[in-house]
Amino acid sequence: MRTKIDAGWLVAHEKGRHVLIRDGELVFEGNRIVFVGRGFEGEIDRTIDAGGRLVCPGFIDTHVHSGHRASHRLISDAGRPMYFGQPFLEISVPREGATVKGDPRYLKHGDAGAEAAFQLNARFTVAELLRNGVTTFVEFGSQLKVQDALLAEVTRLGTRAYLAPGFDCGRWVGDERGRLKRTRDDRLGLDGLKTALDWIAAHDGDADGRVRGILVPREVETASVELLRRTREEADRARLPMATHAAYSVLEFHDIVREHMMTPIELLDSLGMLRPTLNIGHGNFIADNPNLNYARPQDLKLMGDAGVSISHCPINIVRRGRTLDSWKRYREAGVNISIGSDTYPRDMIMNMRTASYLGKLMSHSYLAATAGEAFEAATLGGAISVGRDDLGRLEPGALADIVIIDLAGRNSLRYGPVRDAVKSVVECGVGDDVDTVIVDGVVRMENGVIPGVDVSALMAEAQAAGEAVWDSLPDWDPLGRSAEEACPWCYPERRFECAPA
């Protein structure tokens, strides 16, 4: 079937860059785009009217952690200074001998309610991404059963994903005083790599080719040198992309320098891992960041020379008082910037706006981090990070992963007059403005409705699961705190006593 979209605005792709066409036409047949421009003269089986709306490539979210992220609500405007703003140390480090409860990443197969939790979190993740116009996402190394559940939902709802179990050589626990203590088991890491490779061998190409594999040693500081080397060797052998958290934490930076006498980026470079298809999670605490006071920085040059990719997650890290030191310097060095949501909300439009505004601020120039650059990061940048030239762009031969965005602001005056549709979306839009999502040439969402997803019921399930997570905190928190102690209400809670009957 040949489908034409009549667009009010169309983000096309020519000679390696996006271009904007007013009143353009896009035609796709099967799962491939066959025409982008004006005046298509061939036969058409179906026409989609997108007059007054923006037609653009589907967004690529390069940093997704599965789940409803209820645990992250425990660190809103709160947290321990000893962690230097690093979120996961606040809500995923249990008391020694205990297990984090309620987060499916830490549940084991056979645990009470585990399968239901895996399924709920996968449904929530994929539906939220799709609702916000994400057609491709990279899951950043959750365990095997999480990947299985995501695979089922990606297959059901029709998105595209890079999946595989992550692996490491040990995690963090809290001692009797709440201090960080790292467990270490190098064999665990190598066994995890084998599990990931077996999963990829079994599932790469599933869902009509929409599922692809990726190797994810979860964090550079929890991986042995041997594990990182083996990961690079397997990535070379099977031509797989890689992802890891690196240069993302003050503690991680100093741990790596102390242990290896190299920065995290220098360590990755010494192992031959730096490349466009290495997705470095965050990459904001590099040696060039003046806050680290590192005397001879060369990380930015190493990253730029290799064209390495970072998954910049602006909303998540700014909540913790952090951001990229300078968007402009990263771009000028040659670093490929992609955008990830990481925690919540999985709203790529809000993340683009946050990246643009903070990029201007930190670059000390309102000419930096333009709307166009942020939009490129959410589309082309993501495609580069997974080694694809058929995603993140609308041109003949590319896959028909297409998003239609309503510029009317959902019956509001939020957009005002629209002069440049891309600037308007980045500056004024939200994910809810995404009207239609097409993946692989199939309409997966129309008029904001995803077939097979009851949003109200899903939200009710997530709320109940969140309440259970918050109630469970004293069972595993290193300090034994309640949710209210860890994250007080924003205003004092007023309690009412029931009058006697």
Side-chain angles (χ1 to χ4, degrees):
M1 174 179 285
R2 186 177 287 176
T3 300
K4 182 176 77 165
I5 303 176
D6 289 325
W9 299 86
L10 177 61
V11 179
H13 191 259
E14 294 178 1
K15 299 178 181 178
R17 61 176 298 175
H18 288 324
V19 296
L20 196 56
I21 301 175
R22 189 75 182 265
D23 298 323
E25 300 171 1
L26 181 147
V27 180
F28 64 93
E29 186 170 9
N31 69 345
R32 295 280 175 176
I33 296 169
V34 297
F35 177 84
V36 180
R38 288 180 181 167
F40 182 74
E41 297 180 352
E43 293 185 2
I44 295 295
D45 300 300
R46 178 181 59 165
T47 298
I48 297 174
D49 181 8
R53 289 174 284 175
L54 175 67
V55 176
C56 65
F59 301 131
I60 301 174
D61 188 333
T62 56
H63 198 126
V64 169
H65 291 290
S66 178
H68 45 61
R69 318 307 296 157
S71 58
H72 276 75
R73 271 66 174 187
L74 293 172
I75 55 171
S76 178
D77 298 331
R80 284 167 276 182
M82 62 184 283
Y83 294 147
F84 295 92
Q86 176 50 51
F88 90 90
L89 294 174
E90 301 275 6
I91 45 81
S92 64
V93 175
R95 181 173 61 251
E96 191 169 10
T99 302
V100 174
K101 294 184 178 179
D103 189 323
R105 295 177 300 162
Y106 302 100
L107 292 173
K108 296 180 178 61
H109 182 59
D111 287 353
E115 291 304 317
F118 292 137
Q119 293 167 12
L120 166 61
N121 281 272
R123 290 201 311 274
F124 192 99
T125 301
V126 180
E128 184 185 7
L129 289 164
L130 184 55
R131 181 63 190 84
N132 285 279
V134 173
T135 54
T136 300
F137 70 93
V138 176
E139 210 287 332
F140 233 82
S142 289
Q143 59 138 305
L144 175 66
K145 290 298 178 181
V146 172
Q147 305 299 327
D148 288 343
L150 287 170
L151 172 62
E153 283 304 300
V154 166
T155 301
R156 182 175 78 93
L157 296 182
T159 59
R160 202 179 299 279
Y162 280 77
L163 306 174
F167 43 91
D168 54 45
C169 297
R171 309 295 287 165
W172 296 97
V173 295
D175 71 7
E176 70 282 356
R177 293 173 57 189
R179 294 173 300 187
L180 288 175
K181 178 180 177 181
R182 190 166 68 196
T183 61
R184 184 67 179 254
D185 183 347
D186 288 3
R187 185 72 249 169
L188 177 71
L190 294 174
D191 289 345
L193 173 59
K194 183 180 184 303
T195 297
L197 291 168
D198 289 345
W199 195 94
I200 291 169
H203 298 295
D204 189 80
D206 278 8
D208 298 322
R210 298 192 312 278
V211 170
R212 303 292 296 275
I214 186 168
L215 294 178
V216 187
R218 293 190 180 101
E219 300 99 13
V220 68
E221 82 274 22
T222 62
S224 67
V225 169
E226 177 62 16
L227 180 60
L228 294 172
R229 180 181 293 112
R230 289 281 297 276
T231 299
R232 189 262 301 162
E233 291 171 352
E234 293 295 344
D236 289 343
R237 179 189 62 79
R239 304 185 68 180
L240 292 168
M242 299 176 288
T244 190
H245 293 87
Y248 72 105
S249 162
V250 174
L251 295 173
E252 167 248 352
F253 183 91
H254 285 289
D255 277 356
I256 294 296
V257 170
R258 184 179 66 247
E259 183 175 353
H260 301 287
M261 300 185 71
M262 291 183 281
T263 70
I265 299 303
E266 289 170 341
L267 176 60
L268 294 172
D269 178 62
S270 74
L271 296 170
M273 293 182 73
L274 297 186
R275 58 189 68 182
T277 52
L278 172 65
N279 173 351
I280 294 179
H282 307 299
N284 55 317
F285 280 115
I286 59 175
D288 306 67
N289 188 322
N291 291 321
L292 291 172
N293 198 32
Y294 199 81
R296 293 181 179 174
Q298 63 169 346
D299 286 355
L300 192 57
K301 184 178 187 307
L302 290 172
M303 294 165 70
D305 288 349
V308 77
S309 298
I310 65 167
S311 49
H312 178 35
C313 307
I315 290 177
N316 180 47
I317 65 174
V318 77
R319 278 201 296 256
R320 309 305 294 166
R322 306 177 300 160
T323 188
L324 280 183
D325 178 49
S326 172
W327 174 288
K328 182 173 182 287
R329 289 175 58 227
Y330 275 65
R331 289 261 304 191
E332 289 176 346
V335 175
N336 174 49
I337 302 176
S338 67
I339 290 182
S341 57
D342 196 347
T343 56
Y344 69 91
R346 295 186 176 105
D347 184 330
M348 289 295 280
I349 296 176
M350 286 179 63
N351 271 286
M352 282 189 278
R353 177 160 59 253
T354 305
S356 178
Y357 288 173
L358 289 173
K360 294 176 187 299
L361 182 67
M362 297 304 293
S363 301
H364 303 287
S365 172
Y366 53 80
L367 302 176
T370 64
E373 289 176 359
F375 195 91
E376 287 172 8
T379 52
L380 295 174
I384 290 169
S385 77
V386 292
R388 300 288 291 267
D389 60 6
D390 56 354
L391 298 177
R393 68 205 67 202
L394 302 182
E395 65 181 359
L399 287 164
D401 290 5
I402 304 160
V403 165
I404 301 175
I405 300 175
D406 179 13
L407 301 175
R410 296 293 179 182
N411 197 37
S412 75
L413 299 176
R414 173 164 33 90
Y415 276 92
V418 175
R419 177 176 176 272
D420 179 318
V422 171
K423 289 183 179 180
S424 290
V425 166
V426 173
E427 293 179 348
C428 305
V430 294
D432 193 49
D433 296 329
V434 175
D435 176 84
T436 300
V437 179
I438 298 166
V439 185
D440 224 28
V442 178
V443 175
R444 311 293 185 177
M445 182 179 84
E446 190 170 13
N447 296 323
V449 176
I450 304 171
V453 175
D454 183 334
V455 173
S456 296
L458 183 56
M459 190 59 240
E461 286 186 75
Q463 184 68 34
E467 299 285 350
V469 170
W470 306 324
D471 289 344
S472 77
L473 186 63
D475 297 337
W476 56 266
D477 180 66
L479 301 179
R481 297 170 299 174
S482 68
E484 288 72 27
E485 290 170 329
C487 185
W489 304 110
C490 63
Y491 302 119
E493 186 181 20
R494 186 178 179 188
R495 298 181 180 274
F496 291 88
E497 299 295 333
C498 293

